[in-house]
Amino acid sequence: MDFIKIDKEKWQRKKVFELYSKDILCTYSMTINLDITGLKNKIEIKQLKFFPVILYGLSKFVNKYKEFRMDLNEDGELGYYDKINPIFTVFEEAQEQFYQVWTKYDDDFEVFYQNYLLDMKNYQQQEIKSSKLLLEKNVFNVSCVLWVSFTGFNLNLAKGYDYYLPIFTIGKYFEQGEKILLPLAIQVHHGVCDGFHLSRFINDLQEWLDKTDEI
């Protein structure tokens, strides 16, 4: 994992970044319904697990665009990771408690899928449940609300104005006509990610869901 520092004096986004991280502190969220009809059919035919496929899709486009890999280093300097991994919540039903597991991202879907399966196997074999030890900071958060679909979702972070990585929340998918839709809420920092960047991410993700031959 490499952290590439940004030279703010040469950065074309300097004024926008300072506006939304100093003058007008601003994060924002967007909730959408992804059409997963075709993807779900492929998953069922190939007998794959649903969640790691969606997790791979999110990771693929987070790693494609540096706006979604922005962070501060230990010295408070802004930059971005060359590669970033998803960290996600796992619900332990007996305890009614969530734990966190992260999986190493790989561009190759099959490698990523096997990484996920191994991480979950290791987690499930733990006698006493706990989160997977976080070795590096290059992770972005994905959580699930498995029990309900939602039309809006917003997080309130005490130190959110200093948090530049995206946060994804997935809801329960549902049928609407002949389509299967998946609620997805995305929270970002306006200092590093405008509506253009977020829209591009969503459109690319939807196109991948519609047409991917990687799985």
Side-chain angles (χ1 to χ4, degrees):
M1 182 271 292
D2 290 325
F3 184 81
I4 298 93
K5 291 190 293 185
I6 291 175
D7 185 344
K8 291 181 184 177
E9 297 306 314
K10 298 179 180 179
W11 191 28
Q12 62 182 13
R13 193 177 173 79
K14 177 185 176 183
K15 291 183 179 180
V16 176
F17 175 78
E18 291 181 344
L19 175 66
Y20 291 125
S21 61
K22 293 181 180 179
D23 302 328
I24 306 175
L25 302 177
C26 182
T27 64
Y28 69 97
S29 60
M30 182 183 295
T31 302
I32 59 166
N33 287 326
L34 293 170
D35 185 349
I36 60 168
T37 311
L39 183 74
K40 193 167 184 301
N41 289 335
K42 292 180 182 178
I43 289 172
E44 291 175 352
I45 290 171
K46 297 191 176 184
Q47 298 184 318
L48 297 171
K49 293 182 179 295
F50 177 78
F51 180 69
V53 176
I54 296 298
L55 194 64
Y56 173 79
L58 292 174
S59 302
K60 179 182 180 70
F61 294 104
V62 166
N63 276 281
K64 181 176 181 180
Y65 297 116
K66 67 176 181 293
E67 291 83 12
F68 295 87
R69 290 178 275 122
M70 295 281 193
D71 199 4
L72 301 176
N73 65 12
E74 293 79 3
D75 298 320
E77 299 170 307
L78 184 70
Y80 57 94
Y81 301 110
D82 65 332
K83 182 172 285 191
I84 194 167
N85 305 309
I87 185 168
F88 50 93
T89 52
V90 178
F91 183 64
E92 186 62 32
E93 190 170 359
Q95 302 176 45
E96 295 187 353
Q97 184 169 328
F98 285 96
Y99 296 95
Q100 288 189 312
V101 177
W102 62 273
T103 288
K104 184 177 181 181
Y105 174 70
D106 195 283
D107 292 334
D108 186 304
F109 169 74
E110 186 58 34
V111 173
F112 176 82
Y113 190 80
Q114 294 303 319
N115 288 345
Y116 170 88
L117 293 180
L118 179 60
D119 288 327
M120 289 305 299
K121 180 180 179 181
N122 291 337
Y123 166 77
Q124 290 163 354
Q125 287 178 341
Q126 292 179 16
E127 185 174 346
I128 300 176
K129 299 301 184 186
S130 63
S131 295
K132 181 180 176 182
L133 180 64
L134 189 59
L135 301 177
E136 295 179 316
K137 286 182 60 182
N138 61 325
V139 292
F140 69 95
N141 284 276
V142 181
S143 61
C144 294
V145 181
L146 302 172
W147 309 271
V148 66
S149 299
F150 51 75
T151 56
F153 190 96
N154 185 63
L155 294 167
N156 300 293
L157 306 178
K159 298 182 180 180
Y161 297 124
D162 293 323
Y163 190 83
Y164 295 97
L165 291 166
I167 303 174
F168 298 90
T169 306
I170 299 170
K172 180 182 179 181
Y173 61 73
F174 62 97
E175 294 185 12
Q176 188 175 83
E178 297 182 354
K179 293 183 177 181
I180 301 173
L181 302 178
L182 180 73
L184 175 67
I186 310 173
Q187 183 146 327
V188 293
H189 196 297
H190 206 346
V192 297
C193 184
D194 294 329
F196 163 78
H197 303 107
L198 183 53
S199 298
R200 179 175 62 183
F201 175 92
I202 292 168
N203 291 334
D204 280 2
L205 177 59
Q206 183 62 66
E207 184 176 3
W208 180 82
L209 293 170
D210 292 338
K211 300 178 180 179
T212 182
D213 57 2
E214 292 183 281
I215 68 169

